[in-house]
Amino acid sequence: MKIIEVDSYEKMSALAADVIAAQVITKPHAVLGFATGSTPIGTYVALAKKCREDGLDFSDITTFNLDEYCALEISHPQSYYAFMWENLFSHINIKKENVHLPNGMAADIDKECENYEKMIEEAGGVDLQLLGIGHNGHIGFNEPGDSFISATHRVDLTQRTIEANCRFFENDLNKVPKQAITMGIGTIMKAKNILMLIRGEDKLEAMKAMLAKEVHPSCQASVLQYHPNVTVIYTAN
Ligand code: F6R
């Protein structure tokens, strides 16, 4: 893994946007994998600026997001669909039909997971996958466990995650989604290139576990050690 440390969030975001822009320029039909969460927001702002001011062209780009809540309407402000449109897609010239997130409202979630996996394959696979990391080393919604789950699948959110999310759902535990769909570890590992963004000293433990000698499902991100093309950008601030 290539690890780059920078001294500000602004620099991290600018650098990450440069990497993504280079992919868009060198392969206008590229498939990009995106993440939600607070860390990539600056990158998305920088990408929108490149599109607006420098003409970075997303018109032939296809995207697949890592994950989405189950049983939450996409119109809900906390859906990952809403997040992506608010923070990125509304600000770039991407075609709506080229944007993909798992459909957490699908009647048959298992079928949806299968379809999502198939759609990624049919699009030629992900060229560049953007990742964040959880404090517990999760990537996507792949939480610490006894194994690595390969394909896109349904996950039960941990009680800790449900409680942490409560503040986004009117502090009502009943309104917090209890399940999500996530790309699996195998899906993520199939990406040709991976760019992981890590912000904050509070993520150092997770980063250490990711880089530790032993690759173990108790830190799902540690599997990235087996990937030939991972770049990590870290900033303490
Ligand atoms: C988001 C995702 C998560 C986040 C991770 C870090 O789609 O899959 O794995 O990347 O939880 O989130 P932040 O950036 O909010 O610290």
Side-chain angles (χ1 to χ4, degrees):
M1 284 190 217
K2 205 182 304 155
I3 304 191
I4 302 169
E5 183 172 356
V6 293
D7 61 13
S8 73
Y9 180 63
E10 287 66 33
K11 284 187 193 161
M12 164 193 271
S13 302
L15 201 53
D18 283 347
V19 172
I20 297 167
Q23 177 71 81
V24 171
I25 292 164
T26 53
K27 189 175 177 188
H29 286 83
V31 178
L32 303 179
F34 282 133
T36 57
S38 54
T39 313
I41 291 178
T43 303
Y44 295 155
V45 170
L47 279 178
K49 187 161 181 266
K50 283 182 189 294
C51 181
R52 195 172 55 242
E53 293 179 6
D54 308 332
L56 184 65
D57 184 10
F58 287 86
S59 59
D60 290 323
I61 292 292
T62 297
T63 69
F64 288 90
N65 260 76
L66 280 170
D67 41 18
E68 178 60 285
Y69 289 121
C70 287
L72 190 68
E73 297 281 355
I74 57 171
S75 57
H76 192 289
Q78 293 303 328
S79 75
Y80 288 173
Y81 178 97
F83 175 98
M84 288 306 299
W85 279 95
E86 185 188 334
N87 288 291
L88 182 63
F89 299 145
S90 301
H91 311 289
I92 60 176
N93 66 330
I94 196 153
K95 293 190 185 98
K96 199 170 178 202
E97 62 271 25
N98 290 349
V99 163
H100 305 89
L101 286 95
N103 176 10
M105 293 296 290
D108 186 340
I109 294 289
D110 295 335
K111 187 106 205 119
E112 170 63 17
C113 294
E114 251 174 63
N115 280 345
Y116 201 66
E117 197 72 32
K118 212 182 291 163
M119 276 196 294
I120 297 173
E121 252 176 62
E122 282 169 7
V126 173
D127 290 295
L128 175 61
Q129 176 67 54
L130 187 63
L131 290 180
I133 187 170
H135 289 104
N136 60 7
H138 74 207
I139 47 178
F141 262 123
N142 295 284
E143 301 288 354
D146 305 330
S147 61
F148 295 108
I149 301 180
S150 181
T152 299
H153 60 284
R154 178 209 313 249
V155 281
D156 293 324
L157 305 190
T158 62
Q159 191 58 26
R160 197 173 151 202
T161 303
I162 293 169
E163 280 163 18
N165 285 349
C166 200
R167 65 205 150 106
F168 302 122
F169 294 88
E170 301 159 43
N171 282 317
D172 182 349
L173 271 181
N174 294 320
K175 291 191 175 147
V176 186
K178 309 292 185 296
Q179 291 189 320
I181 297 175
T182 183
M183 281 187 192
I185 292 296
T187 328
I188 293 170
M189 288 294 280
K190 274 191 234 159
K192 297 172 187 84
N193 295 283
I194 292 178
L195 176 62
M196 174 180 268
L197 304 183
I198 308 181
R199 180 190 194 185
E201 286 177 343
D202 57 317
K203 292 272 178 81
L204 274 176
E205 274 305 303
M207 185 155 114
K208 237 195 279 170
M210 173 174 81
L211 301 173
K213 259 210 172 106
E214 196 193 9
V215 171
H216 195 272
S218 58
C219 175
Q220 295 276 313
S222 65
V223 77
L224 297 176
Q225 290 184 41
Y226 292 141
H227 194 285
N229 239 323
V230 180
T231 303
V232 177
I233 308 178
Y234 169 74
T235 183
N237 308 296

